[in-house]
Amino acid sequence: MDATHTGHARLRQLVVVLGDQLDHDSAAFEGFDARQDAVWMAEAHPESTRVWVSQPRIALFLAAMRHFAAKCRARGWRVHYRELADGPSMATLAMLLAEDLATLRPARVVMVEPGEWALRAAVREVVAETGLPYEEREDRHFLCSHAEFARHAEGRKQLRMEFFYREMRRRHAVLLTAEGEPEGGEWNFDSENRKSFGRGGPVDILPPQRFLPDEITARVIEDVLRVFGSHPGALDDFDWPVTAAEAELALQDFIEHRLARFGDHQDAMWRGEPWLFHARLAAAMNLKLLDPRQVIAAAEQAYRDGSVPLASVEGFIRQILGWREYVRGVYWLHMPGYLERNALSAREPLPGFYWSGDTDLQCLRESIGQTLRYGYAHHIQRLMVTGLFALLVGVEPKRVHEWYLAVYVDAVEWVELPNTLGMSQFADDGVMASKPYVASGKYIERMSNYCRSCRYDPALATGPDACPFTTLYWDFLLRHEDALSRNQRMSMQLRNLARLDAPRRQAIVQQAEAFRAGLRAASGGAR
Ligand code: FAD
Ligand code: SF4
């Protein structure tokens, strides 16, 4: 701790700031008085060990937190900052806070509502035990409050992102004409967002601006390697924006150099090209280095200036104003029970190679490899490669959730959990998605060049060269045929399944079972 209250009058208020609340203009600092108030922050060891958090994610959080604390001090604010303990420590964030509240005894505690259900409960409990007054303020970084989302959900049998998104466009007057109609006459240009790169691959990609470690980040990297050296991932390429100023530069870089082509190729994948035309801004927004309003406004302005086509801008804004807000709404509406959902009764362990990338399935090797190296994969790699594989194998959703929470620099539970458990694993029985996102290896072949250098053939479901995705896809439909037959949106896939005769079905089931048994046998000691 770098300051104590000795010699000061009693603290008027202690402002608790979490690793994903790094905004000096947040509601927590309203009325902040540097003469009487102080900031409290802590690097709690279990935050990196309750799931096996990757080195890039730990480093990003710690680097951003230490930069934030440095800026507070530079403003003359008192900061009580608990740095990472050297050895393993069981002290959770709530325990560290309890200890410090006992010694600091502020007149009251203030913070913005934590974004994670369990942490919010733990902080509330700790402060309640001290008997100190506690003020939890609404997180202003979101464009839809809990109450507004609850109102949207009220009386609806099923939630759908598209309706929510239209409401948000209207409420916040985003991409509307003067008459209040959607720009371009359509709400959604999704059908224009699914192009692959064709045989030639992407051209003229400008790699994103890099933010190489300064002194503070270099020390964080040393600490992470020392304390979490056995954790997955690597730090050699660490170049994420770790301050608000850097995040703003990253936003400008995206708007100028990649947004125009974001729309067309949102879903495409290519070997050795981790960023393509993606924003790389989720982590900065989730840590609150960047306000989503600012991101949306910058994208809309690029359209109004005529420098970026509408389909790209709409596609990008839909992700932030639509999906990002929608998943947060789903999270708070359904927690804490959501975490336990397993609608398809999936029970398999997570294959060990998820922690190493060591597999001969080229698409997984590539997607997991870049994930561990950078802490990043884009949406379709997460949904239609790593997520799809886990769904088809039948991995227990909670294990899949733990992996996603551990490996991505942008992973925070309110956004990761509905995406993983709901959208990707269909474990919530259709709360997030109207049907399971399932496809065979042919989808990956169409959207990437992964299959060209793979030993498997995406067209084959059985035999030694069969693509495991294709085998497992048909096996998935067979295993869940009854339940899926009640879902209108699955009817085409089930009609194709109906064409398979009994011997073919049996061969697929046998091959899928043998493949799963192989995964189980190999999984044992990976972690
Ligand atoms: P871009 O592809 O450039 O998209 C722009 C922005 O839109 C993102 O920065 C993000 O803020 C937002 N966005 C896009 N898709 C979604 C979505 N489905 N849900 C919420 N916001 C979205 N996103 C996270 O921020 N944290 C997570 O932990 C996370 N886990 C995911 C797990 C799975 C299984 C899946 C399928 C998706 C997950 N996503 C998560 C959503 C999405 O994959 C990432 O936001 C995106 O890949 C981040 O990269 P980017 O900033 O380059 O985004
Ligand atoms: Fe992946 Fe199958 Fe293509 Fe290989 S053939 S890259 S396993 S989809």
Side-chain angles (χ1 to χ4, degrees):
M1 197 179 296
D2 63 359
T4 70
H5 67 310
T6 327
H8 291 289
R10 187 182 182 196
L11 277 178
R12 186 185 66 142
Q13 61 185 21
L14 189 67
V15 177
V16 175
V17 175
L18 302 175
D20 63 350
Q21 298 182 331
L22 306 179
D23 176 9
H24 291 98
D25 295 323
S26 89
F29 294 112
E30 232 164 59
F32 187 85
D33 178 352
R35 288 163 306 178
Q36 315 181 65
D37 303 337
V39 176
W40 185 88
M41 298 175 75
E43 300 173 358
H45 204 278
E47 291 295 313
S48 301
T49 51
R50 65 195 168 114
V51 296
W52 203 29
V53 181
S54 73
Q55 295 181 6
R57 183 176 181 273
I58 305 175
L60 174 63
F61 271 75
L62 299 192
M65 286 170 71
R66 290 187 195 177
H67 277 91
F68 183 84
K71 186 129 188 229
C72 292
R73 288 188 204 103
R75 291 177 168 203
W77 296 1
R78 254 185 294 169
V79 183
H80 297 272
Y81 193 103
R82 293 264 205 159
E83 267 198 22
L84 196 64
D86 239 354
S89 158
M90 303 294 277
T92 62
L93 195 115
M95 287 155 81
L96 295 175
L97 180 61
E99 269 177 36
D100 288 350
L101 288 179
T103 52
L104 294 168
R105 297 302 300 168
R108 67 189 189 124
V109 181
V110 172
M111 81 183 294
V112 165
E113 180 190 39
E116 184 188 301
W117 195 92
L119 189 56
R120 186 181 75 172
V123 171
R124 284 179 180 177
E125 192 182 320
V126 158
V127 185
E129 275 167 13
T130 64
L132 293 170
Y134 175 49
E135 189 184 338
E136 195 179 87
R137 299 182 180 164
E138 186 167 332
D139 195 333
R140 295 194 299 227
H141 295 93
F142 295 96
L143 289 97
C144 182
S145 67
H146 296 329
E148 282 164 341
F149 194 83
R151 267 200 301 283
H152 167 83
E154 206 177 284
R156 286 177 199 261
K157 253 172 83 187
Q158 219 175 23
L159 296 179
R160 283 298 156 249
M161 200 291 288
E162 184 59 28
F163 300 121
F164 170 76
Y165 169 56
R166 290 178 194 186
E167 252 180 56
M168 293 292 282
R169 287 266 297 275
R170 285 197 199 282
R171 189 183 311 153
H172 295 278
V174 174
L175 285 183
L176 297 184
T177 62
E179 294 73 39
E181 294 305 314
E183 282 290 345
E186 307 276 345
W187 288 104
N188 185 316
F189 294 87
D190 194 24
S191 56
E192 293 177 36
N193 297 156
R194 297 182 193 142
K195 294 189 187 119
S196 67
F197 290 117
R199 280 205 76 77
V203 284
D204 301 332
I205 303 182
L206 264 180
Q209 181 170 355
R210 305 189 64 191
F211 300 92
L212 295 177
D214 63 3
E215 216 175 291
I216 295 179
T217 304
R219 232 198 89 219
V220 165
I221 289 176
E222 276 171 27
D223 289 353
V224 174
L225 291 174
R226 193 178 64 254
V227 182
F228 302 110
S230 63
H231 281 227
L235 292 172
D236 306 333
D237 299 296
F238 188 91
D239 64 354
W240 290 97
V242 295
T243 64
E246 289 181 347
E248 233 172 90
L249 291 174
L251 169 62
Q252 281 166 23
D253 174 60
F254 167 68
I255 301 279
E256 273 173 42
H257 299 126
R258 299 194 300 285
L259 175 59
R261 291 165 75 194
F262 172 87
D264 274 359
H265 300 299
Q266 232 181 93
D267 290 2
M269 303 172 276
W270 204 258
R271 280 192 77 189
E273 294 290 354
W275 321 113
L276 293 164
F277 304 106
H278 290 270
R280 233 174 77 117
L281 292 173
M285 279 189 275
N286 295 349
L287 269 58
K288 318 291 160 44
L289 301 177
L290 203 54
D291 193 304
R293 286 174 192 82
Q294 195 185 343
V295 180
I296 292 168
E300 179 162 6
Q301 193 55 48
Y303 163 67
R304 305 251 174 236
D305 293 346
S307 55
V308 177
L310 178 59
S312 265
V313 172
E314 186 284 315
F316 178 67
I317 288 180
R318 186 181 344 119
Q319 309 307 317
I320 297 173
L321 185 61
W323 280 112
R324 187 169 185 270
E325 296 289 332
Y326 181 75
V327 299
R328 177 172 182 260
V330 166
Y331 176 81
W332 285 106
L333 203 61
H334 292 279
M335 277 299 278
Y338 199 76
L339 190 56
E340 305 303 326
R341 299 186 70 166
N342 187 358
L344 298 175
S345 304
R347 304 266 178 257
E348 294 292 326
L350 185 78
F353 63 71
Y354 271 66
W355 299 105
S356 67
D358 188 10
T359 167
D360 61 2
L361 282 79
Q362 189 59 252
C363 52
L364 283 165
R365 189 183 183 83
E366 187 78 15
S367 302
I368 296 172
Q370 73 165 69
T371 294
L372 297 174
R373 183 168 171 193
Y374 303 110
Y376 181 87
H378 74 64
H379 186 67
I380 292 302
Q381 292 174 304
R382 298 186 203 195
L383 184 65
M384 298 308 287
V385 181
T386 42
L388 174 61
F389 189 74
L391 172 65
L392 297 180
V393 167
V395 178
E396 191 181 340
K398 219 174 184 174
R399 303 286 89 84
V400 188
H401 149 65
E402 287 164 358
W403 184 77
Y404 279 97
L405 191 59
V407 296
Y408 290 107
V409 289
D410 52 48
V412 280
E413 196 179 88
W414 62 262
V415 52
E416 175 279 325
L417 187 67
N419 269 300
T420 303
L421 220 86
M423 189 187 299
S424 144
Q425 302 301 300
F426 205 68
D428 64 3
D429 204 15
V431 173
M432 272 290 290
S434 55
K435 72 179 185 86
Y437 281 94
V438 283
S440 72
K442 296 289 283 177
Y443 172 84
I444 295 173
E445 184 189 33
R446 193 165 67 247
M447 296 310 298
S448 75
N449 64 344
Y450 295 153
C451 304
R452 285 188 224 164
S453 49
C454 184
R455 83 163 206 72
Y456 300 107
D457 182 344
L460 300 179
T462 53
D465 296 331
C467 162
F469 277 84
T470 304
T471 313
L472 292 166
Y473 165 72
W474 292 112
D475 173 71
F476 178 91
L477 295 182
L478 286 167
R479 283 190 293 129
H480 300 292
E481 194 172 1
D482 272 355
L484 297 177
S485 63
R486 290 188 286 277
N487 187 328
Q488 265 295 318
R489 297 202 60 213
M490 291 301 294
S491 57
M492 196 168 85
Q493 281 166 295
L494 291 181
R495 269 203 305 280
N496 290 336
L497 179 70
R499 295 200 189 103
L500 303 186
D501 61 21
R504 182 112 185 92
R505 287 173 177 230
Q506 198 186 2
I508 287 169
V509 171
Q510 269 171 6
Q511 179 134 352
E513 250 330 296
F515 183 74
R516 254 189 218 102
L519 286 179
R520 256 176 246 136
S523 277
R527 206 198 125 167

